[in-house]
Amino acid sequence: MIAMAMKSWKAGLPLERTELPTPEPRAKEVRVAVHAIGVNPVDWKMRQGGPLGLAARLVRVFRGPRGPVIIGVDFAGVIDAVGAKVSSGGLAVGTRVVGGTNFARGQHGSYADTVVVRPDQVTPLPDNVAYDVAGALPVAGVTAWMSMHEFRKIEPGRRALVLGASGGVGQFAVQIAKHVCKADLVAGVCSGKNVEFVKGLGADVVLDYGAGDALEQARAHGPFDVVVDCAGGYKASRCRGLLAKGGRHVMVAGDSPGAMIQVVVPPFRSRAILGAPTTARLRGLVEAVGAGLVKVNIAERLPLVEAEAAHQKSQTGRMTGKIVLLAR
Ligand SMILES: NC(=O)c1ccc[n+]([C@@H]2O[C@H](COP(=O)([O-])OP(=O)(O)OC[C@H]3O[C@@H](n4cnc5c(N)ncnc54)[C@H](OP(=O)(O)O)[C@@H]3O)[C@@H](O)[C@H]2O)c1
């Protein structure tokens, strides 16, 4: 198989085209011929050291596979081999699937033309959802899905505020809140150049953070049942100040130790999130995409071998839409 891999977890190493033996699935695993891979900030953050790099390094020491380090989580493709003890989930050779790899299970990442995962990490794809669209979904889409369902459930009569509404996670969060959860009001915060774009996603109110204090602007449209911070840099106590009774502040972009402390700060209304793709979490999301309720905006498709260029673009923090790598 071909992968874009680093020689080790040492910070700053390049991603290199690497040929490895194609793995065989164990009894309770499936092998997927990967077509498309979504790029997420976590992919390049892991390469830089820092808290995510350190966590990945520790996992690797205790559980990780030997050999070069393959990063990445998102993938969409077709099952081409099934372990002898896989019996559930309608998974067979030829089933089109979307899913996420899991470092904590000792697996390689998804920047490859082949991945091996367990059945509870994939969901079959509806015929009308293309591989590139599906490949963009797992981490960003599942994180957005969890934000609207797993802390304070968004439903008719409730309001959601999305900070960073034009980004990979934010775009899904706005659409899920409005079109799947049927929130009464969805407010999105983005830069001036993306205001029309975020309105097009279905936001009732779009606030330009360049036009003044975004949280102060949002106050007129609250209180909110959920305030989802996909941008980072917004003070947690001020976000909590916009919450309705029972509401939750969800820190998506909260991978700094300072942000984590907010979870244990009274009145315990901030939550950290880990958008781990699982069958159950992906299912509703994939159905919503298949039904046309949630659209996937792909900013750029690049061949897998251009993963390094994809990371440079993602690191600008200014992409409006997902970058997808094509593996075949
Ligand atoms: N916890 C988890 O499981 C999880 C999962 C996925 C992502 N994340 C993290 O969440 C963050 C966002 O990920 P992403 O994939 O959405 O990244 P992204 O696609 O790069 O989007 C980030 C967006 O933030 C916007 N932005 C920048 N400054 C802003 C501000 N002051 N106010 C509002 N918006 C602002 C930018 O839009 P404009 O150009 O309009 O400013 C940009 O589109 C990253 O830190 C990522 O690591 C965490």
Side-chain angles (χ1 to χ4, degrees):
M1 72 178 204
I2 303 295
M4 288 303 288
M6 302 176 299
K7 290 208 162 55
S8 76
W9 272 120
K10 198 171 153 220
L13 288 180
L15 295 173
E16 293 172 330
R17 184 183 183 282
T18 308
E19 282 195 48
L20 296 164
T22 300
E24 288 302 321
R26 285 177 290 199
K28 293 182 181 172
E29 293 175 335
V30 296
R31 188 176 69 198
V32 179
V34 175
H35 282 251
I37 302 141
V39 173
N40 294 290
V42 67
D43 302 344
W44 48 260
K45 286 182 182 179
M46 279 187 167
R47 298 176 61 197
Q48 294 176 335
L52 286 171
L54 181 64
R57 205 178 286 216
L58 285 173
V59 167
R60 171 86 167 189
V61 167
F62 292 107
R63 298 229 37 187
R66 299 275 155 246
V69 174
I70 306 174
I71 56 158
V73 178
D74 296 357
F75 66 85
V78 58
I79 292 180
D80 72 355
V82 177
K85 289 190 181 163
V86 173
S87 54
S88 62
L91 302 178
V93 171
T95 307
R96 300 168 71 250
V97 293
V98 59
T101 53
N102 187 337
F103 292 107
R105 289 183 169 182
Q107 297 167 356
H108 276 304
S110 65
Y111 281 28
D113 63 11
T114 306
V115 295
V116 171
V117 293
R118 292 193 212 155
D120 65 355
Q121 293 171 250
V122 298
T123 296
L125 277 179
D127 290 342
N128 67 343
V129 178
Y131 288 128
D132 55 354
V133 166
L137 284 174
V139 167
V142 161
T143 303
W145 187 269
M146 291 168 70
S147 300
M148 297 300 163
H149 286 92
E150 295 189 12
F151 302 96
R152 175 71 164 168
K153 190 168 165 32
I154 294 303
E155 56 191 23
R158 293 188 174 166
R159 294 175 175 224
L161 171 64
V162 180
L163 307 170
S166 64
V169 179
Q171 290 182 28
F172 289 127
V174 168
Q175 296 183 80
I176 292 165
K178 192 67 201 172
H179 305 307
V180 178
C181 302
K182 314 280 187 207
D184 265 16
L185 181 136
V186 179
V189 172
C190 60
S191 60
K193 73 175 167 51
N194 286 322
V195 166
E196 288 308 314
F197 172 74
V198 174
K199 273 188 196 158
L201 299 173
D204 302 287
V205 175
V206 184
L207 306 167
D208 169 4
Y209 63 78
D213 186 321
L215 298 182
E216 208 40 59
Q217 293 183 63
R219 186 173 297 285
H221 307 281
F224 297 95
D225 296 279
V226 71
V227 174
V228 184
D229 184 358
C230 311
Y234 287 96
K235 207 168 172 201
S237 58
R238 294 194 62 214
C239 292
R240 291 193 292 265
L242 295 175
L243 292 175
K245 187 166 182 280
R248 292 286 176 267
H249 164 230
V250 181
M251 298 180 294
V252 171
D255 47 297
S256 72
M260 289 302 148
I261 288 168
Q262 295 302 324
V263 175
V264 291
V265 168
F268 311 109
R269 296 174 84 185
S270 291
R271 296 284 182 274
I273 188 170
L274 181 64
T278 59
T279 303
R281 287 176 176 151
L282 281 165
R283 192 179 294 124
L285 179 64
V286 164
E287 280 169 11
V289 172
L293 295 174
V294 173
K295 302 240 174 338
V296 177
N297 296 292
I298 299 178
E300 215 163 325
R301 296 168 183 79
L302 294 169
L304 173 59
V305 289
E306 290 184 31
E308 195 74 57
H311 280 199
Q312 280 164 23
K313 287 169 192 275
S314 174
Q315 278 175 66
T316 64
R318 297 256 85 86
M319 299 296 290
T320 307
K322 296 289 297 179
I323 303 173
V324 176
L325 300 170
L326 301 177
R328 58 184 79 225

